[in-house]
Amino acid sequence: MARVEKLDQQEIKTWYRAVLAIFFASGLLTSSLLARLPDVSTGLNLSAGPMGMLLLGMTVGSFSSVTFSGYLVSKIGSRKTLILGYSLACAGIALVGIAVSISSIPLAVLGLVLDGVGMASSNVAANVQGVSAERALGRFVTPIMHGFFSIGTVIGAGLGTLDTRLGVSFMWHMIYFAVIIFATVLWALRGCHSENYGQDDTQALSQVGSYRVRDAWRDKHTIFIGIFVLGMALAEGSANDWVALALTHDYGADKTVGSLGYTFFVIAMMTGRFMGTGLLNKFGRVKVLRVTCSMAIIGLAVFIFAPNVPLGFIGLFIWGLGASLGFPTGMSAASDDPMKAAIRVSVVSTIGYAAFLGGPPALGLLGEHWGIRNALLAVLVFIVISLFLTRHLQPSSQREILSERTTNVSTYDPQTSMNPVITPETGALSQVDKK
């Protein structure tokens, strides 16, 4: 039997906190640009259609990266992938800041491509680290991790709004964000561990070795989870990219209100993710997701058809609450089989990030002809599809999931007569006599 890495509880908690910091940095990275998209539009003198085409640079970079991110993680590990990804992303956002200051569209495109490549690969690696730390910790915490992503977006959006109000130049805003984000990730990686933790015995290695990325792409259950995540990622990503511009272009609000609208949405996302963990444990994935998907549909519809800004903000908040649990719960569902978790999570992440990446330019082209709010009607279709796919996030049998999780948590010791058991409904960890 191969050597099994063992961590004590303090080391596992440190790992968990390090992953929270990485998700927080990812939130800062996302909001660093999105909160000040109106500055990009103004600085480069671009309307909605050309702005969508500009954001295509990020899409091209991300798609070129996300298609092989799972393979990259499997080859060099999630930690090295995180370093590589954040190096590129931070360089990219700094370049975008410089490009806007000198009104250079080609340089802005280059920066967005680098940002897209780095963001896509680092996000896949972060999710792999997240579900691995969750298994080691022995309880369900994925929504909390994504909650820290939302905290990062809230703080980033708040700083973006403040910088806009104070007149801080877009270039310096992006540069100081790049420095803070990269320093945070480097600090956090000191506490991270291999995504193969708890799976290093001979039997596990044999099982993992026989399961490839192409096998996950042929797995209908994995694909259904991925399509569900795609719809909910589009519900989230469309707000990230277009709420500020919808408020300024369609509602006629000023740039400060546009930034505040984005901040309002991410606050709702953060609230939903921290409240949702307890609800998921109490009522289960399917029941909770059916409610939240319905809320996302209602909230988005209110935002699209609201006659004034205050009512639009109410729609934004309901929309944010409804969209909050889709992505993290999909990641958790993809990791139900710990032996295949890293590969399945990478595939589901790839499908989900297609919405984050392809949505901005597509909505930009629609918005150019029919207005941004009307373009968001297309997003409703995808959320409805996700609503109908929620049943595929239910484990096929609680006993099967129980068995899969109990053999891989960090406290398992084959030399003792006790097995740790995680109760799927509550996430509680207990010890059961093997005899």
Side-chain angles (χ1 to χ4, degrees):
M1 180 175 291
R3 180 180 179 272
V4 180
E5 178 187 12
K6 289 192 176 183
L7 303 173
D8 59 36
Q9 287 301 308
Q10 186 56 48
E11 289 173 318
I12 292 172
K13 289 179 181 178
T14 299
W15 184 8
Y16 172 52
R17 295 188 189 106
V19 172
L20 295 181
I22 290 172
F23 273 86
F24 173 79
S26 181
L28 286 180
L29 179 63
T30 299
S31 60
S32 63
L33 175 63
L34 298 180
R36 297 195 63 172
L37 275 180
D39 288 278
V40 179
S41 177
T42 302
L44 298 177
N45 194 27
L46 299 174
S47 62
M51 269 296 292
M53 295 304 296
L54 178 71
L55 292 173
L56 187 62
M58 185 184 295
T59 303
V60 170
S62 297
F63 268 125
S64 67
S65 171
V66 80
T67 53
F68 65 81
S69 292
Y71 176 80
L72 185 65
V73 170
S74 68
K75 288 298 181 183
I76 69 174
S78 58
R79 290 171 290 183
K80 290 181 179 179
T81 304
L82 282 166
I83 293 176
L84 176 62
Y86 275 102
S87 297
L88 294 173
C90 289
I93 63 173
L95 275 180
V96 172
I98 296 170
V100 171
S101 72
I102 62 175
S103 298
S104 172
I105 292 178
L107 188 61
V109 171
L110 175 60
L112 287 171
V113 169
L114 290 176
D115 184 24
V117 170
M119 188 181 296
S121 58
S122 63
N123 280 336
V124 171
N127 279 293
V128 171
Q129 269 286 309
V131 296
S132 302
E134 180 182 63
R135 287 196 307 274
L137 192 64
R139 54 191 173 89
F140 304 118
V141 291
T142 307
I144 295 177
M145 295 175 185
H146 286 261
F148 269 77
F149 169 86
S150 295
I151 291 176
T153 60
V154 168
I155 292 177
L159 288 173
T161 302
L162 180 62
D163 285 351
T164 300
R165 185 71 175 177
L166 296 176
V168 176
S169 75
F170 179 74
M171 181 185 72
W172 288 113
H173 169 85
M174 299 304 286
I175 289 175
Y176 84 71
F177 261 82
V179 172
I180 292 172
I181 291 165
F182 195 64
T184 300
V185 172
L186 287 180
W187 172 83
L189 285 172
R190 298 184 305 168
C192 291
H193 297 274
S194 170
E195 61 272 14
N196 295 320
Y197 176 75
Q199 301 178 25
D200 293 333
D201 58 85
T202 305
Q203 181 181 359
L205 286 173
S206 175
Q207 186 172 348
V208 172
S210 64
Y211 192 76
R212 308 287 184 180
V213 172
R214 62 175 177 270
D215 297 317
W217 281 106
R218 295 168 182 166
D219 182 352
K220 290 183 179 179
H221 182 63
T222 301
I223 298 303
F224 282 137
I225 294 174
I227 296 173
F228 165 85
V229 169
L230 185 147
M232 298 312 295
L234 186 59
E236 178 181 347
S238 60
N240 290 338
D241 292 312
W242 292 109
V243 159
L245 290 173
L247 287 167
T248 55
H249 289 188
D250 291 5
Y251 278 93
D254 61 32
K255 290 194 295 184
T256 301
V257 173
S259 294
L260 184 61
Y262 170 68
T263 304
F264 202 68
F265 178 83
V266 294
I267 287 174
M269 290 282 295
M270 180 182 67
T271 302
R273 282 173 172 168
F274 280 102
M275 291 178 59
T277 302
L279 295 175
L280 287 168
N281 287 328
K282 184 175 182 179
F283 299 107
R285 291 174 185 158
V286 175
K287 290 181 180 179
V288 172
L289 289 174
R290 283 174 178 166
V291 172
T292 55
C293 286
S294 299
M295 290 176 64
I297 293 170
I298 293 169
L300 177 53
V302 170
F303 181 78
I304 292 171
F305 297 109
N308 52 58
V309 171
L311 188 57
F313 268 62
I314 293 174
L316 270 179
F317 195 78
I318 299 173
W319 177 8
L321 287 176
S324 62
L325 295 179
F327 198 94
T329 307
M331 294 300 103
S332 183
S335 70
D336 277 341
D337 183 346
M339 295 297 179
K340 304 174 183 177
I343 292 176
R344 292 183 69 199
V345 166
S346 69
V347 168
V348 170
S349 295
T350 300
I351 298 172
Y353 283 118
F356 288 123
L357 311 177
L363 290 174
L365 292 174
L366 292 175
E368 181 75 5
H369 295 284
W370 293 292
I372 296 172
R373 283 202 286 171
N374 290 331
L376 291 171
L377 286 168
V379 179
L380 284 174
V381 176
F382 287 91
I383 305 176
V384 171
I385 292 172
S386 292
L387 176 61
F388 282 104
L389 289 175
T390 51
R391 63 188 180 89
H392 293 285
L393 277 76
Q394 178 66 49
S396 57
S397 86
Q398 298 289 2
R399 179 176 297 181
E400 175 185 346
I401 301 307
L402 182 74
S403 174
E404 290 172 344
R405 288 186 180 272
T406 57
T407 57
N408 288 280
V409 294
S410 61
T411 53
Y412 176 65
D413 186 351
Q415 303 302 318
T416 70
S417 61
M418 304 295 286
N419 272 345
V421 173
I422 303 177
T423 304
E425 295 82 3
T426 65
L429 181 67
S430 58
Q431 296 287 340
V432 176
D433 195 323
K434 291 193 295 187
K435 298 179 181 178

